[in-house]
């Protein structure tokens, strides 16, 4: 019979060994919500942006505007919120639960393409 401490130690060892693999991290996984497609080639990025814009316009533009610049009763427009990629991923994943992971990533990429979001990306690095 395993004690809770033994189970904890085993879990730490397993998780530690996965993180210690050279060149591998959870962020490298295509299913990781924080992934913002840095490896995507230009064609893939263009395809994702197009799909993201289409879905955003269908599902989000009524409140946020097509480029996220519509003021909201609860605060500044989406394009001015300067959300970090992790915050944006959580928000998109929560609001588009019925969509596929690729669709959610596409919407996130589209939102990150807003001018103020791009400047946030450049200044935070």
């Amino acid at each position: 019979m395993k004690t809770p401490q033994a189970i904890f130690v085993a879990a730490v060892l397993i998780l530690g060994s996965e993180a210690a693999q050279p060149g591998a991290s959870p962020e490298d996984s295509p299913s990781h919500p924080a992934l913002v497609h840095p490896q995507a080639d230009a064609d893939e990025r263009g395809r994702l942006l197009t799909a993201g814009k289409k879905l955003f316009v269908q599902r989000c533009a009524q409140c946020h505007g097509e480029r996220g610049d519509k003021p909201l009763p609860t605060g500044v427009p989406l394009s001015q919120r300067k959300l970090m990629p992790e915050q944006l991923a959580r928000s998109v994943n929560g609001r588009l639960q019925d969509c596929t992971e690729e669709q959610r990533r596409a919407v996130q990429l589209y939102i990150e393409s807003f001018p103020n979001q791009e400047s946030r990306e450049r200044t935070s690095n």
Side-chain angles (χ1 to χ4, degrees):
M1 180 177 209
K2 294 183 179 181
T3 67
Q5 288 175 327
I7 293 171
F8 175 77
V9 170
V12 169
L13 289 173
I14 290 169
L15 291 173
S17 68
E18 287 181 18
Q21 293 177 357
S25 72
E27 290 78 18
D28 292 335
S29 168
S31 63
H32 191 277
L35 181 64
V36 190
H37 345 315
Q39 300 88 1
D41 62 17
D43 290 341
E44 177 69 4
R45 182 177 169 84
R47 185 186 68 75
L48 286 170
L49 276 170
T50 300
K53 179 180 180 179
K54 180 179 178 183
L55 190 55
F56 185 89
V57 168
Q58 290 172 349
R59 302 277 300 269
C60 311
Q62 181 177 353
C63 294
H64 291 289
E66 186 174 321
R67 294 290 299 162
D69 54 3
K70 184 176 176 183
L72 299 172
T74 58
V76 298
L78 179 61
S79 63
Q80 294 178 13
R81 292 195 182 185
K82 301 196 185 313
L83 299 169
M84 297 305 294
E86 298 79 18
Q87 295 169 306
L88 185 55
R90 279 193 304 273
S91 183
V92 169
N93 288 341
R95 286 172 175 73
L96 299 177
Q97 292 178 358
D98 60 328
C99 294
T100 66
E101 180 67 25
E102 183 175 275
Q103 289 172 319
R104 290 190 298 262
R105 287 187 294 133
V107 169
Q108 180 178 347
L109 183 64
Y110 177 67
I111 294 169
E112 289 172 350
S113 76
F114 296 167
N116 288 339
Q117 292 295 327
E118 287 176 355
S119 62
R120 177 206 36 90
E121 288 286 327
R122 284 191 293 273
T123 58
S124 68
N125 291 333

